[in-house]
Amino acid sequence: MDVVPSELNSILPDEIMDTEAIVMEDSLPVASPAPAPSGVDATETSVSMETEVPEIFSLCSTATSTQMTLALTTPTTTDSVPCTMNSGTQLLLTPSVSSSQCHTPAPAPKPTTLVAGGLQKLSAPFTLSANHQLILNKVGSSSGVDAKSHGTPLLKHEGQKLVVTTISKGGQPIVLTLPHTAAKPGTVVRTGDATVQPQQFKVVAIGGRTELKPVVGVQTVSTASQLGSSSPQTASQNQQLKTVQITKKTVASTAGPMVTKFIITKALSSKGLSSQTSVSPVLTGRVLGQGTPVTPPRTIAIADTLNSASQSVPTSKVAISPLMSPSKLTVVSMASPSPGSPQKTVSLPLSVALGQQILAVQQPTSPAKAAPNQSTSQTVKPVQTVAVGGVGTSQFKTIFPLAATPSVQQIQVPGSRFHYVRLVTATTASGTAHNSSPSINSASSQPAKPLVVNTAPMRMSVPIVPAQTVKQVVPKPLNSTAQVVPTQTQQRLIMPATPLPQIQPNLTNLPPGTVLTSAPGVGNVGYAVLPAQYVTQLQQSSFVTLASSASYSTTTGIQTQARMPLNGTLSVSESTTRPRKPCNCTKSQCLKLYCDCFANGEFCSNCNCTNCFNNLEHESERLKAIKACLDRNPEAFKPKIGKGKEGESDRRHSKGCNCKRSGCLKNYCECYEAKIMCSSICKCVGCKNFEESPERKTLMHLADAAEVRVQQQTAAKTKLSSQISDLLTRTTPALPCGGGRLPYTFVTKEVAEATCDCLMEQAEQAELSSQPQAVAERVILEEFGRCLMRIISSAGGV
DNA sequence: GAGTTTGAAACT
DNA sequence: CAGTTTCAAACTC
């Protein structure tokens, strides 16, 4: 998956993200043949995938690159969850075993395959392990048609929460995280489906909006019947909607029947970008809306409110401050759970998530049950995007895990300028390398793919502060690696994984680019908001080194990374998106407001500063500096120039200037620099920066004239360039093979023949006049020169 | 590019 | 809160 700059976020849904709706339903088990000791029982989960799409999802850590892979890892492998595939989509669930073929559901924790009658084959072994992640890799080509999986894959779904991460179109893996619950393997009950109180959450991406709604009275899905009935679909369908419905039935001894259903609707276009998502009506009443016809954003709904067990388990929660209205929020939790912790889940409270999107990335906690194919996990950098839509509000989140041992996950908040980076200390080596590995395709195709980082349960809910200043965003052209870089990045906030009581009150004031990390020894979770540019750099660099809590050392400084020469693409974007000048701080370590980078909440990048601490390498110092600044002035990181309500006239400096000697007509004056006039709150002396000031008018005229001049020059250059290009185009014969138009192409066959005729004529004349050979040669050469001149003039004249 | 000027930020 | 110092950007040469 590509890293998407924040600016594109608004565009992203259409451009980048596939629309996938995953609905997870949890219903209480009606009857529990095998009552589990705990109120929450591990139950069989029947996963029914209804796919109209020929593409097949494979749930395997070892899925081949060409396949879409779903990797489901749950802590307990013993339980198998029957999955039903309605239509041609096959879902293979194999606990820690990858199988290309469909398998009948085996009660034992054997590899189960979900086979959808779909045209494409997805073989995916998925391991139910601590990871709780389901990774779906989209396969570019569907090779074979898969037999329907009559055998229903058993997904062990102990957690009542299913976290689904959207899959990037670029073949990025989809990660589904299944939160662990207290349910035990033995308690699993086969799909007997009594659905008593199914809860369903419907995620619908409509026009880029995601809606998540709980649904009551969910229908139960019979797995076996559906599987049998499901008909394979032809691979010819380019765009298809895949719906995966996973019904989880849990039988609790005491509790009523619970049925958990996961509905995953994914609109996939075989060709990628343009996917039309129409939620298949197959799941009646479950899909609230339909994806936007054009490149809808992928949506992941995480619903899990019912299970008490799941709730009991520590979960990561991200709370988005409702006050701030970031239209899009991306949050990545990267906490590294203790190896023993069975559950790694991110629960997104609907109440919190309403109207906001949250991204959650989880890592498997229990290494033992990690997917077998871990060798590649390090290299694989799946991008995960999760969209949690509040009702009526469209939002989506994008997570960009950055791979590498110092695993960094980046979250981009569309519409907001926040880049959230979560730093995870690689504590659990075994656990970290895991499931994400299956996405081989993505790794190869996209270098900067993040690993799925292990996420420990988040301890804190973090309010996220939206960028306060709305700045013009320049959308970048979407390419394969669509990236959006804000013209002026504002990053804010940060949520400390560890409690930062001092700062929390001022979270809203946190500077952009702030990195909050857990205090040493407290935890390894950290959140960082990175400048869009920085994120872009990180993504492109394909590896990021983060030092958090000294848990791991960084081999390469971030500063270094940031300063790394950008490739052409980045440089272009940078020029347009990063107006900020590089700082030259020498004594402040870029940790004081003297530093513009720091003041703007940005990491230093391509700066000339020395001894810079304004980077991820010095998270703690930076954090302290931020805190100090906030202590001095809670408004320190708020924009100094108030946003004009209606036009620039309303803009004014929040504090006013104090100029003494500049007359407020030089850039020393913050008001003048901001191109606003001084106001009554200014304490300047000899101010000339007011409306009627003749000096100011003169300066403005000069500035305008200069600007016009520049624009004219630019326009002239552009025009000239286009003219030259046009000239070459018109004068150059089109080459059949589509080759470029080069000067030699002016010499067409006719021209060559004419030239030869001229040369021959000269030769004949020389011969007739009995000229010496040397003279004849000279005459011929002269004629050749004239011919060339005519050709050139002819070309230029056209 | 070096040096000066300037005013915000930081400090007392 | 006021005065002073520090700092880095803006400016000049």
Side-chain angles (χ1 to χ4, degrees), chain A residues 594 632 640 655 658 661-662 670:
Chain A
Y594 299 126
R632 287 190 293 266
K640 291 180 179 178
K655 292 169 57 182
N658 299 294
R661 306 172 66 90
S662 66
E670 292 188 348

PDB file of all heavy atoms in Angstrom, chain A residues 594 632 640 655 658 661-662 670, chain B residues 4-11:
ATOM      1  N   TYR A 594      12.087  28.967  19.057  1.00  0.00           N
ATOM      2  CA  TYR A 594      12.920  29.678  18.095  1.00  0.00           C
ATOM      3  C   TYR A 594      12.933  28.928  16.774  1.00  0.00           C
ATOM      4  O   TYR A 594      13.027  29.518  15.709  1.00  0.00           O
ATOM      5  CB  TYR A 594      14.358  29.780  18.608  1.00  0.00           C
ATOM      6  CG  TYR A 594      14.515  30.536  19.903  1.00  0.00           C
ATOM      7  CD1 TYR A 594      15.161  29.965  20.980  1.00  0.00           C
ATOM      8  CD2 TYR A 594      14.038  31.827  20.022  1.00  0.00           C
ATOM      9  CE1 TYR A 594      15.335  30.663  22.167  1.00  0.00           C
ATOM     10  CE2 TYR A 594      14.206  32.538  21.206  1.00  0.00           C
ATOM     11  CZ  TYR A 594      14.845  31.953  22.276  1.00  0.00           C
ATOM     12  OH  TYR A 594      15.013  32.653  23.426  1.00  0.00           O
ATOM     13  N   ARG A 632       4.870  26.984  29.715  1.00  0.00           N
ATOM     14  CA  ARG A 632       5.059  28.428  29.642  1.00  0.00           C
ATOM     15  C   ARG A 632       3.870  29.112  28.995  1.00  0.00           C
ATOM     16  O   ARG A 632       3.414  30.155  29.430  1.00  0.00           O
ATOM     17  CB  ARG A 632       6.332  28.752  28.860  1.00  0.00           C
ATOM     18  CG  ARG A 632       7.608  28.465  29.602  1.00  0.00           C
ATOM     19  CD  ARG A 632       8.788  29.046  28.850  1.00  0.00           C
ATOM     20  NE  ARG A 632       9.005  28.366  27.574  1.00  0.00           N
ATOM     21  CZ  ARG A 632       9.844  27.350  27.417  1.00  0.00           C
ATOM     22  NH1 ARG A 632      10.543  26.900  28.447  1.00  0.00           N
ATOM     23  NH2 ARG A 632       9.997  26.782  26.249  1.00  0.00           N
ATOM     24  N   LYS A 640      -0.598  31.422  15.440  1.00  0.00           N
ATOM     25  CA  LYS A 640      -0.579  32.804  15.908  1.00  0.00           C
ATOM     26  C   LYS A 640      -1.542  33.672  15.128  1.00  0.00           C
ATOM     27  O   LYS A 640      -2.025  34.676  15.633  1.00  0.00           O
ATOM     28  CB  LYS A 640       0.831  33.371  15.773  1.00  0.00           C
ATOM     29  CG  LYS A 640       1.830  32.751  16.717  1.00  0.00           C
ATOM     30  CD  LYS A 640       3.186  33.369  16.525  1.00  0.00           C
ATOM     31  CE  LYS A 640       4.204  32.771  17.476  1.00  0.00           C
ATOM     32  NZ  LYS A 640       5.546  33.334  17.260  1.00  0.00           N
ATOM     33  N   LYS A 655      -1.422  37.528  19.341  1.00  0.00           N
ATOM     34  CA  LYS A 655      -0.797  38.282  20.419  1.00  0.00           C
ATOM     35  C   LYS A 655      -0.407  39.683  20.004  1.00  0.00           C
ATOM     36  O   LYS A 655      -0.175  40.540  20.856  1.00  0.00           O
ATOM     37  CB  LYS A 655       0.464  37.549  20.891  1.00  0.00           C
ATOM     38  CG  LYS A 655       0.181  36.242  21.580  1.00  0.00           C
ATOM     39  CD  LYS A 655       1.450  35.453  21.769  1.00  0.00           C
ATOM     40  CE  LYS A 655       2.480  36.225  22.555  1.00  0.00           C
ATOM     41  NZ  LYS A 655       3.739  35.450  22.701  1.00  0.00           N
ATOM     42  N   ASN A 658       5.433  43.319  18.545  1.00  0.00           N
ATOM     43  CA  ASN A 658       6.092  44.265  19.450  1.00  0.00           C
ATOM     44  C   ASN A 658       7.237  44.984  18.747  1.00  0.00           C
ATOM     45  O   ASN A 658       8.246  45.296  19.346  1.00  0.00           O
ATOM     46  CB  ASN A 658       6.637  43.517  20.669  1.00  0.00           C
ATOM     47  CG  ASN A 658       5.537  42.842  21.443  1.00  0.00           C
ATOM     48  OD1 ASN A 658       4.682  43.484  22.020  1.00  0.00           O
ATOM     49  ND2 ASN A 658       5.548  41.523  21.433  1.00  0.00           N
ATOM     50  N   ARG A 661      11.505  48.891  15.673  1.00  0.00           N
ATOM     51  CA  ARG A 661      12.316  49.607  14.704  1.00  0.00           C
ATOM     52  C   ARG A 661      11.988  49.284  13.258  1.00  0.00           C
ATOM     53  O   ARG A 661      12.436  49.983  12.349  1.00  0.00           O
ATOM     54  CB  ARG A 661      13.788  49.292  14.952  1.00  0.00           C
ATOM     55  CG  ARG A 661      14.241  49.564  16.373  1.00  0.00           C
ATOM     56  CD  ARG A 661      15.637  49.061  16.585  1.00  0.00           C
ATOM     57  NE  ARG A 661      16.617  49.794  15.790  1.00  0.00           N
ATOM     58  CZ  ARG A 661      17.242  50.886  16.211  1.00  0.00           C
ATOM     59  NH1 ARG A 661      17.005  51.357  17.426  1.00  0.00           N
ATOM     60  NH2 ARG A 661      18.104  51.505  15.441  1.00  0.00           N
ATOM     61  N   SER A 662      11.296  48.277  13.070  1.00  0.00           N
ATOM     62  CA  SER A 662      11.049  47.857  11.683  1.00  0.00           C
ATOM     63  C   SER A 662       9.834  48.543  11.079  1.00  0.00           C
ATOM     64  O   SER A 662       9.589  48.420   9.876  1.00  0.00           O
ATOM     65  CB  SER A 662      10.860  46.353  11.615  1.00  0.00           C
ATOM     66  OG  SER A 662       9.687  45.961  12.296  1.00  0.00           O
ATOM     67  N   GLU A 670       5.857  39.858  12.707  1.00  0.00           N
ATOM     68  CA  GLU A 670       5.069  38.661  12.426  1.00  0.00           C
ATOM     69  C   GLU A 670       3.764  38.995  11.714  1.00  0.00           C
ATOM     70  O   GLU A 670       3.256  38.196  10.925  1.00  0.00           O
ATOM     71  CB  GLU A 670       4.784  37.897  13.725  1.00  0.00           C
ATOM     72  CG  GLU A 670       6.037  37.283  14.315  1.00  0.00           C
ATOM     73  CD  GLU A 670       5.699  36.376  15.484  1.00  0.00           C
ATOM     74  OE1 GLU A 670       4.551  36.408  15.958  1.00  0.00           O
ATOM     75  OE2 GLU A 670       6.603  35.640  15.918  1.00  0.00           O
TER      76      GLU A 670
ATOM     77  P    DT B   4      29.334  42.952  12.547  1.00  0.00           P
ATOM     78  OP1  DT B   4      30.108  44.179  12.836  1.00  0.00           O
ATOM     79  OP2  DT B   4      29.295  41.834  13.500  1.00  0.00           O
ATOM     80  O5'  DT B   4      27.824  43.380  12.238  1.00  0.00           O
ATOM     81  C5'  DT B   4      27.560  44.232  11.120  1.00  0.00           C
ATOM     82  C4'  DT B   4      26.075  44.499  11.007  1.00  0.00           C
ATOM     83  O4'  DT B   4      25.397  43.292  10.593  1.00  0.00           O
ATOM     84  C3'  DT B   4      25.402  44.956  12.305  1.00  0.00           C
ATOM     85  O3'  DT B   4      24.662  46.129  12.052  1.00  0.00           O
ATOM     86  C2'  DT B   4      24.502  43.787  12.690  1.00  0.00           C
ATOM     87  C1'  DT B   4      24.211  43.146  11.341  1.00  0.00           C
ATOM     88  N1   DT B   4      23.906  41.689  11.385  1.00  0.00           N
ATOM     89  C2   DT B   4      22.687  41.246  10.954  1.00  0.00           C
ATOM     90  O2   DT B   4      21.821  41.997  10.539  1.00  0.00           O
ATOM     91  N3   DT B   4      22.510  39.887  11.036  1.00  0.00           N
ATOM     92  C4   DT B   4      23.418  38.952  11.486  1.00  0.00           C
ATOM     93  O4   DT B   4      23.131  37.765  11.497  1.00  0.00           O
ATOM     94  C5   DT B   4      24.667  39.474  11.923  1.00  0.00           C
ATOM     95  C7   DT B   4      25.718  38.557  12.427  1.00  0.00           C
ATOM     96  C6   DT B   4      24.863  40.807  11.853  1.00  0.00           C
ATOM     97  P    DT B   5      23.946  46.833  13.229  1.00  0.00           P
ATOM     98  OP1  DT B   5      23.956  48.292  12.949  1.00  0.00           O
ATOM     99  OP2  DT B   5      24.444  46.285  14.505  1.00  0.00           O
ATOM    100  O5'  DT B   5      22.458  46.305  13.008  1.00  0.00           O
ATOM    101  C5'  DT B   5      21.865  46.434  11.711  1.00  0.00           C
ATOM    102  C4'  DT B   5      20.463  45.868  11.715  1.00  0.00           C
ATOM    103  O4'  DT B   5      20.526  44.436  11.771  1.00  0.00           O
ATOM    104  C3'  DT B   5      19.583  46.326  12.876  1.00  0.00           C
ATOM    105  O3'  DT B   5      18.355  46.790  12.369  1.00  0.00           O
ATOM    106  C2'  DT B   5      19.432  45.075  13.725  1.00  0.00           C
ATOM    107  C1'  DT B   5      19.564  43.966  12.697  1.00  0.00           C
ATOM    108  N1   DT B   5      20.075  42.665  13.200  1.00  0.00           N
ATOM    109  C2   DT B   5      19.364  41.521  12.947  1.00  0.00           C
ATOM    110  O2   DT B   5      18.315  41.520  12.340  1.00  0.00           O
ATOM    111  N3   DT B   5      19.931  40.379  13.433  1.00  0.00           N
ATOM    112  C4   DT B   5      21.114  40.268  14.132  1.00  0.00           C
ATOM    113  O4   DT B   5      21.520  39.184  14.519  1.00  0.00           O
ATOM    114  C5   DT B   5      21.808  41.476  14.357  1.00  0.00           C
ATOM    115  C7   DT B   5      23.101  41.472  15.104  1.00  0.00           C
ATOM    116  C6   DT B   5      21.264  42.620  13.889  1.00  0.00           C
ATOM    117  P    DT B   6      17.385  47.525  13.326  1.00  0.00           P
ATOM    118  OP1  DT B   6      16.670  48.507  12.498  1.00  0.00           O
ATOM    119  OP2  DT B   6      18.104  47.926  14.547  1.00  0.00           O
ATOM    120  O5'  DT B   6      16.370  46.370  13.710  1.00  0.00           O
ATOM    121  C5'  DT B   6      15.700  45.643  12.667  1.00  0.00           C
ATOM    122  C4'  DT B   6      15.021  44.429  13.233  1.00  0.00           C
ATOM    123  O4'  DT B   6      16.005  43.447  13.572  1.00  0.00           O
ATOM    124  C3'  DT B   6      14.229  44.691  14.509  1.00  0.00           C
ATOM    125  O3'  DT B   6      12.856  44.722  14.206  1.00  0.00           O
ATOM    126  C2'  DT B   6      14.587  43.511  15.420  1.00  0.00           C
ATOM    127  C1'  DT B   6      15.443  42.605  14.543  1.00  0.00           C
ATOM    128  N1   DT B   6      16.569  41.921  15.224  1.00  0.00           N
ATOM    129  C2   DT B   6      16.627  40.550  15.240  1.00  0.00           C
ATOM    130  O2   DT B   6      15.794  39.852  14.730  1.00  0.00           O
ATOM    131  N3   DT B   6      17.708  40.038  15.888  1.00  0.00           N
ATOM    132  C4   DT B   6      18.727  40.746  16.512  1.00  0.00           C
ATOM    133  O4   DT B   6      19.656  40.164  17.063  1.00  0.00           O
ATOM    134  C5   DT B   6      18.604  42.168  16.455  1.00  0.00           C
ATOM    135  C7   DT B   6      19.649  43.022  17.108  1.00  0.00           C
ATOM    136  C6   DT B   6      17.542  42.705  15.819  1.00  0.00           C
ATOM    137  P    DG B   7      11.847  45.293  15.231  1.00  0.00           P
ATOM    138  OP1  DG B   7      10.758  45.918  14.469  1.00  0.00           O
ATOM    139  OP2  DG B   7      12.570  46.063  16.263  1.00  0.00           O
ATOM    140  O5'  DG B   7      11.284  43.962  15.897  1.00  0.00           O
ATOM    141  C5'  DG B   7      10.696  42.974  15.057  1.00  0.00           C
ATOM    142  C4'  DG B   7      10.583  41.657  15.806  1.00  0.00           C
ATOM    143  O4'  DG B   7      11.906  41.178  16.141  1.00  0.00           O
ATOM    144  C3'  DG B   7       9.812  41.722  17.135  1.00  0.00           C
ATOM    145  O3'  DG B   7       9.061  40.548  17.288  1.00  0.00           O
ATOM    146  C2'  DG B   7      10.924  41.788  18.158  1.00  0.00           C
ATOM    147  C1'  DG B   7      11.933  40.861  17.513  1.00  0.00           C
ATOM    148  N9   DG B   7      13.293  40.995  17.987  1.00  0.00           N
ATOM    149  C8   DG B   7      13.929  42.146  18.390  1.00  0.00           C
ATOM    150  N7   DG B   7      15.172  41.957  18.776  1.00  0.00           N
ATOM    151  C5   DG B   7      15.362  40.595  18.616  1.00  0.00           C
ATOM    152  C6   DG B   7      16.504  39.801  18.879  1.00  0.00           C
ATOM    153  O6   DG B   7      17.607  40.154  19.302  1.00  0.00           O
ATOM    154  N1   DG B   7      16.278  38.468  18.580  1.00  0.00           N
ATOM    155  C2   DG B   7      15.078  37.965  18.092  1.00  0.00           C
ATOM    156  N2   DG B   7      15.046  36.657  17.865  1.00  0.00           N
ATOM    157  N3   DG B   7      14.003  38.690  17.844  1.00  0.00           N
ATOM    158  C4   DG B   7      14.215  39.992  18.125  1.00  0.00           C
ATOM    159  P    DA B   8       7.794  40.577  18.166  1.00  0.00           P
ATOM    160  OP1  DA B   8       6.663  40.996  17.343  1.00  0.00           O
ATOM    161  OP2  DA B   8       8.083  41.258  19.431  1.00  0.00           O
ATOM    162  O5'  DA B   8       7.655  39.015  18.458  1.00  0.00           O
ATOM    163  C5'  DA B   8       7.792  38.097  17.384  1.00  0.00           C
ATOM    164  C4'  DA B   8       8.453  36.816  17.871  1.00  0.00           C
ATOM    165  O4'  DA B   8       9.834  37.081  18.209  1.00  0.00           O
ATOM    166  C3'  DA B   8       7.800  36.222  19.115  1.00  0.00           C
ATOM    167  O3'  DA B   8       7.711  34.813  18.984  1.00  0.00           O
ATOM    168  C2'  DA B   8       8.758  36.614  20.239  1.00  0.00           C
ATOM    169  C1'  DA B   8      10.094  36.651  19.518  1.00  0.00           C
ATOM    170  N9   DA B   8      11.061  37.589  20.097  1.00  0.00           N
ATOM    171  C8   DA B   8      10.875  38.923  20.310  1.00  0.00           C
ATOM    172  N7   DA B   8      11.919  39.521  20.838  1.00  0.00           N
ATOM    173  C5   DA B   8      12.849  38.507  20.966  1.00  0.00           C
ATOM    174  C6   DA B   8      14.174  38.492  21.462  1.00  0.00           C
ATOM    175  N6   DA B   8      14.804  39.580  21.932  1.00  0.00           N
ATOM    176  N1   DA B   8      14.827  37.315  21.457  1.00  0.00           N
ATOM    177  C2   DA B   8      14.192  36.243  20.988  1.00  0.00           C
ATOM    178  N3   DA B   8      12.950  36.119  20.492  1.00  0.00           N
ATOM    179  C4   DA B   8      12.330  37.307  20.509  1.00  0.00           C
ATOM    180  P    DA B   9       6.926  33.995  20.023  1.00  0.00           P
ATOM    181  OP1  DA B   9       6.262  32.903  19.308  1.00  0.00           O
ATOM    182  OP2  DA B   9       6.166  34.900  20.892  1.00  0.00           O
ATOM    183  O5'  DA B   9       8.111  33.373  20.890  1.00  0.00           O
ATOM    184  C5'  DA B   9       9.100  32.588  20.230  1.00  0.00           C
ATOM    185  C4'  DA B   9      10.198  32.221  21.201  1.00  0.00           C
ATOM    186  O4'  DA B   9      10.962  33.394  21.548  1.00  0.00           O
ATOM    187  C3'  DA B   9       9.713  31.612  22.520  1.00  0.00           C
ATOM    188  O3'  DA B   9      10.443  30.438  22.786  1.00  0.00           O
ATOM    189  C2'  DA B   9       9.986  32.702  23.551  1.00  0.00           C
ATOM    190  C1'  DA B   9      11.165  33.434  22.939  1.00  0.00           C
ATOM    191  N9   DA B   9      11.280  34.837  23.318  1.00  0.00           N
ATOM    192  C8   DA B   9      10.308  35.790  23.251  1.00  0.00           C
ATOM    193  N7   DA B   9      10.707  36.978  23.644  1.00  0.00           N
ATOM    194  C5   DA B   9      12.027  36.789  23.988  1.00  0.00           C
ATOM    195  C6   DA B   9      13.011  37.667  24.481  1.00  0.00           C
ATOM    196  N6   DA B   9      12.792  38.962  24.710  1.00  0.00           N
ATOM    197  N1   DA B   9      14.222  37.163  24.725  1.00  0.00           N
ATOM    198  C2   DA B   9      14.441  35.874  24.502  1.00  0.00           C
ATOM    199  N3   DA B   9      13.595  34.947  24.032  1.00  0.00           N
ATOM    200  C4   DA B   9      12.395  35.479  23.793  1.00  0.00           C
ATOM    201  P    DA B  10      10.086  29.553  23.973  1.00  0.00           P
ATOM    202  OP1  DA B  10      10.339  28.169  23.582  1.00  0.00           O
ATOM    203  OP2  DA B  10       8.794  29.971  24.517  1.00  0.00           O
ATOM    204  O5'  DA B  10      11.223  29.991  25.008  1.00  0.00           O
ATOM    205  C5'  DA B  10      12.583  29.918  24.601  1.00  0.00           C
ATOM    206  C4'  DA B  10      13.463  30.528  25.665  1.00  0.00           C
ATOM    207  O4'  DA B  10      13.266  31.955  25.690  1.00  0.00           O
ATOM    208  C3'  DA B  10      13.183  30.032  27.077  1.00  0.00           C
ATOM    209  O3'  DA B  10      14.376  29.515  27.645  1.00  0.00           O
ATOM    210  C2'  DA B  10      12.694  31.265  27.833  1.00  0.00           C
ATOM    211  C1'  DA B  10      13.286  32.399  27.024  1.00  0.00           C
ATOM    212  N9   DA B  10      12.537  33.651  27.065  1.00  0.00           N
ATOM    213  C8   DA B  10      11.211  33.830  26.777  1.00  0.00           C
ATOM    214  N7   DA B  10      10.811  35.082  26.893  1.00  0.00           N
ATOM    215  C5   DA B  10      11.953  35.762  27.290  1.00  0.00           C
ATOM    216  C6   DA B  10      12.185  37.123  27.579  1.00  0.00           C
ATOM    217  N6   DA B  10      11.256  38.066  27.507  1.00  0.00           N
ATOM    218  N1   DA B  10      13.439  37.469  27.936  1.00  0.00           N
ATOM    219  C2   DA B  10      14.374  36.519  28.008  1.00  0.00           C
ATOM    220  N3   DA B  10      14.268  35.203  27.756  1.00  0.00           N
ATOM    221  C4   DA B  10      13.020  34.896  27.393  1.00  0.00           C
ATOM    222  P    DC B  11      14.318  28.806  28.997  1.00  0.00           P
ATOM    223  OP1  DC B  11      15.307  27.716  28.972  1.00  0.00           O
ATOM    224  OP2  DC B  11      12.924  28.539  29.369  1.00  0.00           O
ATOM    225  O5'  DC B  11      14.871  29.950  29.968  1.00  0.00           O
ATOM    226  C5'  DC B  11      16.078  30.617  29.609  1.00  0.00           C
ATOM    227  C4'  DC B  11      16.241  31.861  30.444  1.00  0.00           C
ATOM    228  O4'  DC B  11      15.250  32.837  30.068  1.00  0.00           O
ATOM    229  C3'  DC B  11      16.079  31.644  31.951  1.00  0.00           C
ATOM    230  O3'  DC B  11      17.292  31.938  32.593  1.00  0.00           O
ATOM    231  C2'  DC B  11      14.974  32.625  32.354  1.00  0.00           C
ATOM    232  C1'  DC B  11      14.973  33.625  31.208  1.00  0.00           C
ATOM    233  N1   DC B  11      13.675  34.326  30.983  1.00  0.00           N
ATOM    234  C2   DC B  11      13.597  35.700  31.170  1.00  0.00           C
ATOM    235  O2   DC B  11      14.603  36.331  31.519  1.00  0.00           O
ATOM    236  N3   DC B  11      12.418  36.325  30.949  1.00  0.00           N
ATOM    237  C4   DC B  11      11.348  35.611  30.571  1.00  0.00           C
ATOM    238  N4   DC B  11      10.205  36.279  30.370  1.00  0.00           N
ATOM    239  C5   DC B  11      11.406  34.204  30.375  1.00  0.00           C
ATOM    240  C6   DC B  11      12.572  33.614  30.595  1.00  0.00           C
TER     241       DC B  11
END
